[in-house]
Amino acid sequence: MSWIPFKIGQPKKQIVPKTVERDFEREYGKLQQLEDQTKKLQKDLKKSTDADLAMSKSAVKISSDLLSNPLCEQDQEFLNLVTALDTAMKRMDAFNQEKVNQIQKTVIEPLKKFGSVFPSLNMAVKRREQALQDYKRLQSKVEKYEEKEKTGPVLAKLHQVREELRPVKDDFEAKNRQLLEEMPRFYNSRLDYFQPSFESLIRAQMEMFRGQLAMELEIQEKKP
């Protein structure tokens, strides 16, 4: 997320309390940080799964190349060992693929779904900012006419601008109130949303560790 406020002349009257602005900036800042962390986690998981698959594919290639080595034809014990290694590497590759599919469904896809909310939040913040600038612009006009001599035309114009200001003010306050309610709610929902995904990721990693340990023991047993 990125947010660059519009630059216009400020009205003399403080139309938005500083505490409200601080609350808004704090909550929006937390969402910006959350979006960055979500993107980084998604990217790191993709790198991790790609690396796992590349490793197991390379291991299968190595064991396959060893099987075609002339030594396998000359030494039965070596052939038995390489055959066991090849079987273990293929099992590891299949297990890796299963693990990656599980991570894709339980973690990466939920991350993408969660991240898809940020653009709409960002757009809502921009609409809120535009409403604030319209509010400030009309408030400045009101102040300008209030400072002038109270002639008939000035009072008429003042009344007109005040009428224009009322719905703009209501629109800004509605947008501001909605965001101040929704931003903390969305931020706090991250724990309940991601906990099942991370639990699935931990289980997948534990299964992978047990699978690798079992294969290592099997290879050790096959050694002469």
Side-chain angles (χ1 to χ4, degrees), residues 182-209:
E182 291 182 355
M183 288 193 297
R185 187 181 302 129
F186 176 71
Y187 182 80
N188 292 332
S189 72
R190 74 198 188 284
L191 300 177
D192 292 336
Y193 185 88
F194 284 124
Q195 184 173 347
S197 295
F198 290 143
E199 289 177 352
S200 296
L201 177 61
I202 292 170
R203 284 196 297 269
Q205 294 291 347
M206 290 177 64
E207 287 297 322
M208 180 63 182
F209 175 75

Side-chain angles (χ1 to χ4, degrees), residues 1 3 10 19 38 40 42 82 85 108 120 131 142 164 168:
M1 283 183 184
W3 175 43
Q10 299 293 317
T19 54
T38 301
K40 184 177 184 303
Q42 185 177 327
V82 173
L85 175 66
I108 295 178
S120 60
V142 168
E164 293 176 12
V168 172

Side-chain angles (χ1 to χ4, degrees), residues 55-65 86 89-90 93:
M55 178 194 68
S56 60
K57 295 294 183 187
S58 296
V60 170
K61 177 68 166 55
I62 291 171
S63 63
S64 177
D65 289 345
D86 185 61
M89 292 304 98
K90 287 177 179 176
D93 185 47

Side-chain angles (χ1 to χ4, degrees), residues 18 28 58 63 84 101 108 129 173 224:
K18 290 182 179 180
Y28 187 60
S58 296
S63 63
N101 291 340
I108 295 178
E129 179 61 24
E173 290 180 345

